[in-house]
PDB file of all heavy atoms in Angstrom:
ATOM      1  N   LYS P   1       0.866  -1.200  -0.047  1.00 91.00           N
ATOM      2  CA  LYS P   1      -0.024   0.003  -0.044  1.00 91.00           C
ATOM      3  C   LYS P   1       0.887   1.230  -0.016  1.00 91.00           C
ATOM      4  O   LYS P   1       0.486   2.216  -0.671  1.00 91.00           O
ATOM      5  CB  LYS P   1      -0.949  -0.048   1.232  1.00 91.00           C
ATOM      6  CG  LYS P   1      -2.052  -0.960   1.079  1.00 91.00           C
ATOM      7  CD  LYS P   1      -2.948  -0.913   2.276  1.00 91.00           C
ATOM      8  CE  LYS P   1      -4.094  -2.023   2.145  1.00 91.00           C
ATOM      9  NZ  LYS P   1      -4.984  -2.035   3.266  1.00 91.00           N
ATOM     10  N   THR P   2       1.971   1.249   0.720  1.00 90.00           N
ATOM     11  CA  THR P   2       2.896   2.371   0.691  1.00 90.00           C
ATOM     12  C   THR P   2       3.434   2.620  -0.661  1.00 90.00           C
ATOM     13  O   THR P   2       3.517   3.716  -1.117  1.00 90.00           O
ATOM     14  CB  THR P   2       4.050   2.091   1.718  1.00 90.00           C
ATOM     15  OG1 THR P   2       3.468   1.938   3.062  1.00 90.00           O
ATOM     16  CG2 THR P   2       4.984   3.323   1.739  1.00 90.00           C
ATOM     17  N   ALA P   3       3.793   1.478  -1.363  1.00 88.00           N
ATOM     18  CA  ALA P   3       4.307   1.675  -2.671  1.00 88.00           C
ATOM     19  C   ALA P   3       3.292   2.212  -3.650  1.00 88.00           C
ATOM     20  O   ALA P   3       3.614   3.053  -4.473  1.00 88.00           O
ATOM     21  CB  ALA P   3       4.853   0.206  -3.230  1.00 88.00           C
ATOM     22  N   VAL P   4       2.092   1.665  -3.589  1.00 90.00           N
ATOM     23  CA  VAL P   4       1.022   2.071  -4.436  1.00 90.00           C
ATOM     24  C   VAL P   4       0.528   3.527  -4.276  1.00 90.00           C
ATOM     25  O   VAL P   4       0.342   4.206  -5.171  1.00 90.00           O
ATOM     26  CB  VAL P   4      -0.216   1.080  -4.339  1.00 90.00           C
ATOM     27  CG1 VAL P   4      -1.386   1.707  -5.175  1.00 90.00           C
ATOM     28  CG2 VAL P   4       0.187  -0.244  -4.932  1.00 90.00           C
ATOM     29  N   TRP P   5       0.389   3.921  -2.951  1.00 91.00           N
ATOM     30  CA  TRP P   5      -0.148   5.261  -2.686  1.00 91.00           C
ATOM     31  C   TRP P   5       0.832   6.363  -2.331  1.00 91.00           C
ATOM     32  O   TRP P   5       0.518   7.509  -2.517  1.00 91.00           O
ATOM     33  CB  TRP P   5      -1.177   5.101  -1.519  1.00 91.00           C
ATOM     34  CG  TRP P   5      -2.275   4.233  -1.883  1.00 91.00           C
ATOM     35  CD1 TRP P   5      -2.554   2.945  -1.483  1.00 91.00           C
ATOM     36  CD2 TRP P   5      -3.347   4.513  -2.803  1.00 91.00           C
ATOM     37  NE1 TRP P   5      -3.641   2.394  -2.057  1.00 91.00           N
ATOM     38  CE2 TRP P   5      -4.248   3.401  -2.872  1.00 91.00           C
ATOM     39  CE3 TRP P   5      -3.699   5.628  -3.615  1.00 91.00           C
ATOM     40  CZ2 TRP P   5      -5.327   3.291  -3.699  1.00 91.00           C
ATOM     41  CZ3 TRP P   5      -4.848   5.567  -4.340  1.00 91.00           C
ATOM     42  CH2 TRP P   5      -5.600   4.458  -4.368  1.00 91.00           C
ATOM     43  N   ALA P   6       2.123   6.009  -2.000  1.00 90.00           N
ATOM     44  CA  ALA P   6       3.039   7.014  -1.684  1.00 90.00           C
ATOM     45  C   ALA P   6       4.178   7.136  -2.668  1.00 90.00           C
ATOM     46  O   ALA P   6       4.736   8.286  -2.852  1.00 90.00           O
ATOM     47  CB  ALA P   6       3.691   6.743  -0.300  1.00 90.00           C
ATOM     48  N   ILE P   7       4.617   5.988  -3.264  1.00 88.00           N
ATOM     49  CA  ILE P   7       5.724   6.060  -4.097  1.00 88.00           C
ATOM     50  C   ILE P   7       5.287   6.156  -5.616  1.00 88.00           C
ATOM     51  O   ILE P   7       5.785   6.966  -6.395  1.00 88.00           O
ATOM     52  CB  ILE P   7       6.665   4.800  -3.918  1.00 88.00           C
ATOM     53  CG1 ILE P   7       7.231   4.820  -2.497  1.00 88.00           C
ATOM     54  CG2 ILE P   7       7.704   4.756  -4.922  1.00 88.00           C
ATOM     55  CD1 ILE P   7       7.960   3.565  -2.131  1.00 88.00           C
ATOM     56  N   TRP P   8       4.360   5.188  -6.065  1.00 90.00           N
ATOM     57  CA  TRP P   8       3.920   5.163  -7.470  1.00 90.00           C
ATOM     58  C   TRP P   8       3.518   6.505  -8.068  1.00 90.00           C
ATOM     59  O   TRP P   8       3.906   6.854  -9.147  1.00 90.00           O
ATOM     60  CB  TRP P   8       2.853   4.072  -7.690  1.00 90.00           C
ATOM     61  CG  TRP P   8       2.408   3.994  -9.055  1.00 90.00           C
ATOM     62  CD1 TRP P   8       1.243   4.310  -9.531  1.00 90.00           C
ATOM     63  CD2 TRP P   8       3.163   3.505 -10.189  1.00 90.00           C
ATOM     64  NE1 TRP P   8       1.191   4.023 -10.950  1.00 90.00           N
ATOM     65  CE2 TRP P   8       2.362   3.632 -11.325  1.00 90.00           C
ATOM     66  CE3 TRP P   8       4.525   3.054 -10.299  1.00 90.00           C
ATOM     67  CZ2 TRP P   8       2.843   3.188 -12.596  1.00 90.00           C
ATOM     68  CZ3 TRP P   8       5.027   2.653 -11.541  1.00 90.00           C
ATOM     69  CH2 TRP P   8       4.198   2.771 -12.658  1.00 90.00           C
ATOM     70  N   PRO P   9       2.526   7.256  -7.293  1.00 90.00           N
ATOM     71  CA  PRO P   9       2.258   8.624  -7.914  1.00 90.00           C
ATOM     72  C   PRO P   9       3.364   9.507  -8.130  1.00 90.00           C
ATOM     73  O   PRO P   9       3.302  10.389  -9.065  1.00 90.00           O
ATOM     74  CB  PRO P   9       1.331   9.170  -6.853  1.00 90.00           C
ATOM     75  CG  PRO P   9       0.760   8.019  -6.083  1.00 90.00           C
ATOM     76  CD  PRO P   9       1.873   7.034  -6.067  1.00 90.00           C
ATOM     77  N   GLN P  10       4.479   9.358  -7.435  1.00 90.00           N
ATOM     78  CA  GLN P  10       5.613  10.300  -7.616  1.00 90.00           C
ATOM     79  C   GLN P  10       6.537   9.735  -8.754  1.00 90.00           C
ATOM     80  O   GLN P  10       7.336  10.600  -9.316  1.00 90.00           O
ATOM     81  CB  GLN P  10       6.393  10.330  -6.344  1.00 90.00           C
ATOM     82  CG  GLN P  10       5.710  11.052  -5.172  1.00 90.00           C
ATOM     83  CD  GLN P  10       6.531  11.195  -3.964  1.00 90.00           C
ATOM     84  OE1 GLN P  10       7.580  11.795  -4.050  1.00 90.00           O
ATOM     85  NE2 GLN P  10       6.229  10.507  -2.861  1.00 90.00           N
ATOM     86  N   ILE P  11       6.463   8.527  -9.123  1.00 88.00           N
ATOM     87  CA  ILE P  11       7.392   7.998 -10.130  1.00 88.00           C
ATOM     88  C   ILE P  11       6.652   7.618 -11.424  1.00 88.00           C
ATOM     89  O   ILE P  11       7.376   7.218 -12.363  1.00 88.00           O
ATOM     90  CB  ILE P  11       8.192   6.820  -9.630  1.00 88.00           C
ATOM     91  CG1 ILE P  11       7.363   5.685  -9.268  1.00 88.00           C
ATOM     92  CG2 ILE P  11       9.034   7.280  -8.528  1.00 88.00           C
ATOM     93  CD1 ILE P  11       8.165   4.345  -9.170  1.00 88.00           C
ATOM     94  N   ILE P  12       5.389   7.803 -11.537  1.00 87.00           N
ATOM     95  CA  ILE P  12       4.706   7.358 -12.738  1.00 87.00           C
ATOM     96  C   ILE P  12       5.100   8.105 -13.945  1.00 87.00           C
ATOM     97  O   ILE P  12       5.306   7.525 -15.058  1.00 87.00           O
ATOM     98  CB  ILE P  12       3.079   7.462 -12.593  1.00 87.00           C
ATOM     99  CG1 ILE P  12       2.468   6.766 -13.788  1.00 87.00           C
ATOM    100  CG2 ILE P  12       2.675   8.903 -12.388  1.00 87.00           C
ATOM    101  CD1 ILE P  12       0.937   6.529 -13.620  1.00 87.00           C
ATOM    102  N   ARG P  13       5.397   9.428 -13.920  1.00 85.00           N
ATOM    103  CA  ARG P  13       5.848  10.155 -14.982  1.00 85.00           C
ATOM    104  C   ARG P  13       7.257   9.723 -15.454  1.00 85.00           C
ATOM    105  O   ARG P  13       7.500   9.538 -16.709  1.00 85.00           O
ATOM    106  CB  ARG P  13       5.829  11.682 -14.723  1.00 85.00           C
ATOM    107  CG  ARG P  13       4.422  12.116 -14.674  1.00 85.00           C
ATOM    108  CD  ARG P  13       4.267  13.667 -14.556  1.00 85.00           C
ATOM    109  NE  ARG P  13       4.702  14.243 -15.889  1.00 85.00           N
ATOM    110  CZ  ARG P  13       5.057  15.419 -16.030  1.00 85.00           C
ATOM    111  NH1 ARG P  13       5.260  16.258 -14.973  1.00 85.00           N
ATOM    112  NH2 ARG P  13       5.416  16.000 -17.157  1.00 85.00           N
ATOM    113  N   PRO P  14       8.203   9.626 -14.489  1.00 86.00           N
ATOM    114  CA  PRO P  14       9.486   9.010 -14.949  1.00 86.00           C
ATOM    115  C   PRO P  14       9.430   7.676 -15.536  1.00 86.00           C
ATOM    116  O   PRO P  14      10.121   7.341 -16.552  1.00 86.00           O
ATOM    117  CB  PRO P  14      10.425   9.094 -13.766  1.00 86.00           C
ATOM    118  CG  PRO P  14       9.715  10.045 -12.835  1.00 86.00           C
ATOM    119  CD  PRO P  14       8.265  10.031 -13.118  1.00 86.00           C
ATOM    120  N   VAL P  15       8.607   6.773 -15.024  1.00 86.00           N
ATOM    121  CA  VAL P  15       8.473   5.469 -15.533  1.00 86.00           C
ATOM    122  C   VAL P  15       8.011   5.485 -16.986  1.00 86.00           C
ATOM    123  O   VAL P  15       8.581   4.760 -17.816  1.00 86.00           O
ATOM    124  CB  VAL P  15       7.481   4.585 -14.640  1.00 86.00           C
ATOM    125  CG1 VAL P  15       7.075   3.300 -15.360  1.00 86.00           C
ATOM    126  CG2 VAL P  15       8.111   4.294 -13.284  1.00 86.00           C
ATOM    127  N   LEU P  16       6.966   6.264 -17.188  1.00 85.00           N
ATOM    128  CA  LEU P  16       6.424   6.418 -18.564  1.00 85.00           C
ATOM    129  C   LEU P  16       7.499   7.024 -19.529  1.00 85.00           C
ATOM    130  O   LEU P  16       7.697   6.493 -20.635  1.00 85.00           O
ATOM    131  CB  LEU P  16       5.165   7.208 -18.523  1.00 85.00           C
ATOM    132  CG  LEU P  16       4.337   7.277 -19.909  1.00 85.00           C
ATOM    133  CD1 LEU P  16       3.805   5.878 -20.142  1.00 85.00           C
ATOM    134  CD2 LEU P  16       3.249   8.241 -19.647  1.00 85.00           C
ATOM    135  N   SER P  17       8.168   8.027 -19.062  1.00 83.00           N
ATOM    136  CA  SER P  17       9.234   8.703 -19.905  1.00 83.00           C
ATOM    137  C   SER P  17      10.332   7.690 -20.233  1.00 83.00           C
ATOM    138  O   SER P  17      10.807   7.647 -21.384  1.00 83.00           O
ATOM    139  CB  SER P  17       9.642   9.881 -19.146  1.00 83.00           C
ATOM    140  OG  SER P  17      10.685  10.526 -19.888  1.00 83.00           O
ATOM    141  N   TYR P  18      10.845   6.946 -19.186  1.00 86.00           N
ATOM    142  CA  TYR P  18      11.899   6.087 -19.414  1.00 86.00           C
ATOM    143  C   TYR P  18      11.458   4.886 -20.301  1.00 86.00           C
ATOM    144  O   TYR P  18      12.377   4.358 -20.999  1.00 86.00           O
ATOM    145  CB  TYR P  18      12.481   5.479 -18.044  1.00 86.00           C
ATOM    146  CG  TYR P  18      13.016   6.602 -17.215  1.00 86.00           C
ATOM    147  CD1 TYR P  18      12.951   6.438 -15.759  1.00 86.00           C
ATOM    148  CD2 TYR P  18      13.641   7.721 -17.675  1.00 86.00           C
ATOM    149  CE1 TYR P  18      13.476   7.443 -14.962  1.00 86.00           C
ATOM    150  CE2 TYR P  18      14.165   8.685 -16.845  1.00 86.00           C
ATOM    151  CZ  TYR P  18      13.990   8.535 -15.491  1.00 86.00           C
ATOM    152  OH  TYR P  18      14.581   9.517 -14.695  1.00 86.00           O
ATOM    153  N   SER P  19      10.215   4.417 -20.146  1.00 85.00           N
ATOM    154  CA  SER P  19       9.785   3.302 -21.059  1.00 85.00           C
ATOM    155  C   SER P  19       9.814   3.762 -22.422  1.00 85.00           C
ATOM    156  O   SER P  19      10.211   2.990 -23.350  1.00 85.00           O
ATOM    157  CB  SER P  19       8.360   2.929 -20.577  1.00 85.00           C
ATOM    158  OG  SER P  19       8.400   2.450 -19.241  1.00 85.00           O
ATOM    159  N   PHE P  20       9.265   4.919 -22.763  1.00 84.00           N
ATOM    160  CA  PHE P  20       9.301   5.387 -24.237  1.00 84.00           C
ATOM    161  C   PHE P  20      10.715   5.664 -24.669  1.00 84.00           C
ATOM    162  O   PHE P  20      11.091   5.379 -25.777  1.00 84.00           O
ATOM    163  CB  PHE P  20       8.459   6.631 -24.306  1.00 84.00           C
ATOM    164  CG  PHE P  20       6.940   6.304 -24.491  1.00 84.00           C
ATOM    165  CD1 PHE P  20       6.109   6.736 -23.512  1.00 84.00           C
ATOM    166  CD2 PHE P  20       6.497   5.711 -25.547  1.00 84.00           C
ATOM    167  CE1 PHE P  20       4.724   6.449 -23.602  1.00 84.00           C
ATOM    168  CE2 PHE P  20       5.166   5.406 -25.774  1.00 84.00           C
ATOM    169  CZ  PHE P  20       4.274   5.792 -24.783  1.00 84.00           C
ATOM    170  N   TYR P  21      11.542   6.181 -23.802  1.00 84.00           N
ATOM    171  CA  TYR P  21      12.944   6.388 -24.154  1.00 84.00           C
ATOM    172  C   TYR P  21      13.640   4.978 -24.448  1.00 84.00           C
ATOM    173  O   TYR P  21      14.365   4.915 -25.449  1.00 84.00           O
ATOM    174  CB  TYR P  21      13.705   7.121 -22.925  1.00 84.00           C
ATOM    175  CG  TYR P  21      15.176   7.235 -23.209  1.00 84.00           C
ATOM    176  CD1 TYR P  21      15.736   8.095 -24.180  1.00 84.00           C
ATOM    177  CD2 TYR P  21      16.073   6.499 -22.452  1.00 84.00           C
ATOM    178  CE1 TYR P  21      17.061   8.203 -24.435  1.00 84.00           C
ATOM    179  CE2 TYR P  21      17.493   6.599 -22.674  1.00 84.00           C
ATOM    180  CZ  TYR P  21      17.919   7.422 -23.619  1.00 84.00           C
ATOM    181  OH  TYR P  21      19.240   7.577 -23.831  1.00 84.00           O
ATOM    182  N   ALA P  22      13.353   4.062 -23.655  1.00 86.00           N
ATOM    183  CA  ALA P  22      13.911   2.660 -23.940  1.00 86.00           C
ATOM    184  C   ALA P  22      13.447   2.176 -25.230  1.00 86.00           C
ATOM    185  O   ALA P  22      14.144   1.524 -25.974  1.00 86.00           O
ATOM    186  CB  ALA P  22      13.600   1.731 -22.738  1.00 86.00           C
ATOM    187  N   LEU P  23      12.133   2.341 -25.537  1.00 83.00           N
ATOM    188  CA  LEU P  23      11.675   1.859 -26.847  1.00 83.00           C
ATOM    189  C   LEU P  23      12.364   2.545 -27.939  1.00 83.00           C
ATOM    190  O   LEU P  23      12.733   1.936 -28.915  1.00 83.00           O
ATOM    191  CB  LEU P  23      10.152   2.121 -26.830  1.00 83.00           C
ATOM    192  CG  LEU P  23       9.435   1.661 -28.142  1.00 83.00           C
ATOM    193  CD1 LEU P  23       9.586   0.217 -28.391  1.00 83.00           C
ATOM    194  CD2 LEU P  23       7.902   2.012 -28.004  1.00 83.00           C
ATOM    195  N   GLU P  24      12.552   3.851 -27.740  1.00 80.00           N
ATOM    196  CA  GLU P  24      13.190   4.598 -28.907  1.00 80.00           C
ATOM    197  C   GLU P  24      14.596   4.103 -29.104  1.00 80.00           C
ATOM    198  O   GLU P  24      15.092   3.936 -30.197  1.00 80.00           O
ATOM    199  CB  GLU P  24      13.220   6.104 -28.561  1.00 80.00           C
ATOM    200  CG  GLU P  24      13.790   6.963 -29.570  1.00 80.00           C
ATOM    201  CD  GLU P  24      13.730   8.437 -29.232  1.00 80.00           C
ATOM    202  OE1 GLU P  24      12.779   8.859 -28.574  1.00 80.00           O
ATOM    203  OE2 GLU P  24      14.675   9.224 -29.534  1.00 80.00           O
TER     204      GLU P  24
END
């Protein structure tokens, strides 16, 4: 729950950005 509600909202943008960067 800590990961889902406290950590994930803060890292979702970098995760998405890094995923697209890795695909490129």
Side-chain angles (χ1 to χ4, degrees):
K1 288 180 181 178
T2 301
V4 169
W5 297 106
I7 298 173
W8 181 248
Q10 295 184 61
I11 65 167
I12 188 169
R13 289 188 73 201
V15 165
L16 191 62
S17 179
Y18 298 149
S19 297
F20 279 112
Y21 174 68
L23 180 59
E24 184 180 323

